[in-house]
């Protein structure tokens, strides 16, 4: 399995900041403590499936895809062209 560059916490943090939300805003929208959300963004606390889905909904992210990333059920495939070193990517 190819490791992801962005894990659940990275994706959530970037999406939250990109939407101009503070941790407290996301906490109110999800019912998850702001402290726990901060730990999740730091990849120091693993989310539960319901938490992933609540966060995805609050941030406008695809919940099934975010859950697959959160629980290591998906990784990008190796792609490449003849004569080119394969790279990690989406295809």
């Amino acid at each position: 399995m190819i490791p992801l560059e962005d894990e659940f916490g990275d994706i959530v943090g970037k999406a939250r900041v990109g939407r101009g939300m503070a941790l407290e805003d996301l906490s109110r929208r999800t019912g998850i403590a702001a402290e726990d959300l901060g730990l999740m963004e730091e990849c120091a606390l693993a989310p539960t499936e319901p938490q992933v889905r609540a966060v995805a909904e609050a941030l406008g992210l695809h919940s099934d895809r975010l859950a697959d990333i959160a629980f290591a059920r998906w990784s990008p495939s190796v792609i490449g062209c003849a004569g080119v070193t394969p790279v990690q990517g989406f295809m």
Side-chain angles (χ1 to χ4, degrees):
M1 187 186 238
I2 298 170
L4 292 175
E5 182 177 324
D6 284 337
E7 297 179 349
F8 171 81
D10 301 316
I11 294 166
V12 169
K14 289 175 184 178
R16 179 182 60 77
V17 170
R19 285 167 177 70
M21 297 173 100
L23 281 171
E24 292 76 17
D25 299 325
L26 186 56
S27 175
R28 280 190 292 279
R29 292 177 183 229
T30 62
I32 302 168
E35 180 179 349
D36 288 347
L37 289 166
L39 291 171
M40 287 177 201
E41 286 186 8
E42 295 170 6
C43 301
L45 177 65
T48 64
E49 185 95 18
Q51 288 173 325
V52 171
R53 295 193 180 281
V55 167
E57 183 177 328
L59 294 174
L61 301 174
H62 190 282
S63 62
D64 289 338
R65 291 180 185 154
L66 188 60
D68 285 347
I69 290 169
F71 302 114
R73 297 187 295 232
W74 178 88
S75 69
S77 58
V78 175
I79 60 173
C81 300
V84 178
T85 303
V87 295
Q88 180 176 326
F90 301 97
M91 187 138 224

